Amino acid sequence: MAPRARIMLAVGLSLPPAGVLWVVLRHALPPIHDDPMGFALGCSGAVLLLTLALGIEAVAHERLFHASIDPLAGADSRRLVINQRYLRNTLEQAALFVPGLFLLARHVGDLRVVAATAILWTLGRWAYWVGYHVDPAWRGFGIFSMGISLVTLAYGVGTFGYALAGWTGTAALIGPFLVIEAYLFRTLRRPA
């Protein structure tokens, strides 16, 4: 099976359980009575500790204890390269997810939604990392966390826009993103 097909298979297999798990978490967690911004800050710290900080640690330990201690020597192991790619991708996703989580906490009435989203995002990052180590195509098992990053941020920004100017505000903020995303999707599907 071609790598792209395996990635798509992994994505397709992971989406239904991820959706079910989010719903279960959202309803199984006890009600959370906390300051929304304080809760979002705590969740953000937790997801960064459990994903980004662990990726940083994995790279640091690999460098410290193996031949790759000299990053210019060309002695990076496959494991180190995968950990670096996981780290870079997680940093990119965290840049979208963390502000989205704050916006979600600000605009959603039930903080269990925030907790379930943070837990599922963390599990998705781990699935991405482990899958990448098994085979680069199997990182697709955690790609749903990238979708969570985008949806969370888009929901938060759209809700912010709505609070400012109704549907016009939402369209003004989300519309340009959707137009450019459609252009990129269409353009990049064509062979170079």
Side-chain angles (χ1 to χ4, degrees), residues 77-114:
S77 68
R78 175 180 169 84
R79 179 176 59 207
L80 177 61
V81 171
I82 290 171
N83 287 341
Q84 288 172 323
R85 289 185 180 180
Y86 160 79
L87 179 58
R88 182 175 61 228
N89 187 267
T90 299
L91 179 60
E92 293 166 356
Q93 293 309 310
L96 301 177
F97 183 68
V98 169
L101 200 61
F102 272 88
L103 288 165
L104 187 63
R106 169 76 173 86
H107 294 290
V108 73
D110 188 346
L111 292 178
R112 293 180 297 177
V113 170
V114 176

Side-chain angles (χ1 to χ4, degrees), residues 5-15 137-142 144:
R6 286 187 303 170
I7 289 174
M8 297 310 290
L9 175 64
V11 170
L13 291 173
S14 69
L15 287 177
W138 295 128
R139 70 189 188 275
F141 281 112
F144 68 83

Side-chain angles (χ1 to χ4, degrees), residues 5-89:
R6 286 187 303 170
I7 289 174
M8 297 310 290
L9 175 64
V11 170
L13 291 173
S14 69
L15 287 177
V20 168
L21 181 57
W22 184 89
V23 170
V24 168
L25 285 168
R26 193 268 177 233
H27 293 289
L29 291 169
I32 300 165
H33 306 288
D34 199 354
D35 165 55
M37 294 300 99
F39 187 72
L41 181 61
C43 286
S44 296
V47 300
L48 293 177
L49 178 69
L50 296 172
T51 60
L52 192 61
L54 286 175
I56 292 169
E57 288 298 303
V59 169
H61 285 277
E62 181 85 15
R63 288 240 183 263
L64 182 61
F65 297 114
H66 295 91
S68 60
I69 194 160
D70 177 356
L72 302 177
D76 292 356
S77 68
R78 175 180 169 84
R79 179 176 59 207
L80 177 61
V81 171
I82 290 171
N83 287 341
Q84 288 172 323
R85 289 185 180 180
Y86 160 79
L87 179 58
R88 182 175 61 228
N89 187 267

Side-chain angles (χ1 to χ4, degrees), residues 154-185:
Y155 172 82
V157 169
T159 305
F160 170 71
Y162 187 83
L164 289 176
W167 288 111
T168 304
T170 298
L173 293 174
I174 300 298
F177 171 79
L178 293 175
V179 168
I180 294 169
E181 181 70 19
Y183 170 78
L184 291 171
F185 188 81

